[in-house]
Amino acid sequence: MAAEGRVEVVDDKKLKKEKKSKDKSEKKDKKRSESEGVRKEKKDKKKDKAKQDKLARALDAHLQADAAAAFEAQDDAADVDPEDLIKPAEELVPFALPLADDKAHKKIFKLIKKGAKLRSIHRGVKECEKAIKKCPPKTAASGEVAAPGLVIIAGDISPMDVIMHFPVLCEEHGVPYLYVRSRADLGVAACTKRATSVVMLKPEGKGAAKKDGDAEMEDADSGKVNAEEYLDAWKDLVKTAEKQWKIQVQPWVKGTHPLQIADREKARLAASA
């Protein structure tokens, strides 16, 4: 019996030791798994943070590149000729008044060709703006003064904002103006390689007369260009422009145009109904 009791005690001790060792190993495994799990989480967080930093750096570089490109575009925009931004439009701009008729179109293009040979024209938006602004401003005290030039504007312009200010600018400086239908035809008449939106005809040019006093210049197309004939045709066209302004534009300014009267009548009838 004593021997059996000892065997049982030994077995109990062995069982306890095995249980303790098993518990210890389980605890170690648990700690190891937990520690490994934490390490994995830290490693994932580091990877995510690295990715986020990389994306942030890439985005910052992209934004800086866009900002630099925009800044360069603004600098270049100052040197861009507005003529390069203009495209031909299918219809004329709504403010193309006074518009020259077919007969006046022929006179205008013929006169521009002569003016190009006599070097008495300005071409393009920038050049014409400078030429108009050099003319003295028109005031009520100035009275009847000879026109300092004649501006021809193409009506098939897009965007229209490029030429929208010319009528006001011309009226401020007492410069008559007329609209024509085709920008391409205006460029051909002005002897340029591309279409032209605006041309300003001066009464006299740098080449209006030769050094020897002869008032004629050679023209490959029509033989000779006479400066006096050019001036007479220029004056005649100025009168046409002023007359058409009174017929087509002045009624709009005064509010007496038939279309304006019709619109007011419609509004009155609608309000009374």
Side-chain angles (χ1 to χ4, degrees):
M1 293 292 291
E4 289 178 1
R6 286 178 184 173
V7 172
E8 288 179 0
V9 170
V10 172
D11 291 339
D12 290 339
K13 285 182 178 180
K14 282 183 179 180
L15 289 170
K16 286 180 180 179
K17 282 182 181 180
E18 288 177 359
K19 190 176 181 181
K20 282 183 180 179
S21 62
K22 190 177 180 181
D23 292 340
K24 284 181 180 179
S25 63
E26 286 178 357
K27 285 181 181 180
K28 284 181 180 179
D29 292 337
K30 190 176 180 181
K31 285 182 180 179
R32 191 179 296 165
S33 65
E34 287 177 357
S35 61
E36 286 176 357
V38 170
R39 282 176 189 171
K40 283 181 183 178
E41 287 177 5
K42 285 183 180 178
K43 196 178 282 186
D44 292 339
K45 284 183 179 178
K46 284 181 180 178
K47 283 183 180 179
D48 291 341
K49 191 174 181 182
K51 284 182 181 178
Q52 289 175 0
D53 292 342
K54 190 176 180 180
L55 287 171
R57 287 194 297 271
L59 181 62
D60 186 43
H62 183 67
L63 291 173
Q64 286 180 0
D66 287 346
F71 184 75
E72 289 177 1
Q74 287 178 356
D75 288 344
D76 295 339
D79 300 328
V80 172
D81 190 345
E83 292 287 336
D84 296 331
L85 304 174
I86 296 172
K87 297 178 180 179
E90 294 180 1
E91 298 180 356
L92 300 181
V93 293
F95 51 86
L97 296 172
L99 180 64
D101 56 18
D102 293 339
K103 189 177 179 181
H105 267 75
K106 292 179 182 178
K107 288 182 179 180
I108 289 168
F109 294 141
K110 190 175 179 180
L111 186 66
I112 291 173
K113 285 180 181 178
K114 290 181 179 179
K117 297 299 178 182
L118 293 170
R119 291 186 292 170
S120 59
I121 68 172
H122 298 283
R123 306 175 183 88
V125 174
K126 281 187 175 182
E127 192 175 334
C128 289
E129 274 183 3
K130 288 179 183 178
I132 295 169
K133 287 177 181 177
K134 285 180 181 179
C135 300
K138 185 179 179 181
T139 59
S142 62
E144 291 294 331
V145 180
L150 173 65
V151 172
I152 307 299
I153 311 168
D156 60 335
I157 297 298
S158 179
M160 64 179 72
D161 299 346
V162 179
I163 59 163
M164 189 179 286
H165 61 291
F166 271 99
V168 176
L169 189 63
C170 289
E171 289 172 15
E172 285 177 351
H173 293 270
V175 181
Y177 60 93
L178 272 172
Y179 280 88
V180 292
R181 295 187 182 88
S182 175
R183 178 173 176 249
D185 291 344
L186 191 60
V188 171
C191 302
T192 59
K193 293 181 180 179
R194 61 177 183 175
T196 304
S197 305
V198 188
V199 170
M200 184 175 181
L201 292 159
K202 302 287 285 184
E204 294 179 357
K206 295 178 181 178
K210 291 185 177 180
K211 291 181 180 179
D212 59 0
D214 188 6
E216 291 180 343
M217 292 192 69
E218 295 295 332
D219 186 349
D221 296 330
S222 58
K224 294 181 179 180
V225 177
N226 188 287
E228 292 181 0
E229 289 179 1
Y230 165 80
L231 183 59
D232 291 339
W234 180 88
K235 288 179 179 178
D236 183 57
L237 200 56
V238 166
K239 289 179 181 178
T240 301
E242 291 173 344
K243 181 181 178 181
Q244 290 301 318
W245 189 90
K246 290 178 181 178
I247 294 171
Q248 299 184 40
V249 181
Q250 195 173 48
W252 286 99
V253 176
K254 292 183 176 181
T256 58
H257 195 277
L259 292 175
Q260 291 173 311
I261 295 171
D263 288 339
R264 285 198 295 266
E265 186 65 21
K266 285 180 182 178
R268 188 183 65 80
L269 293 171
S272 61

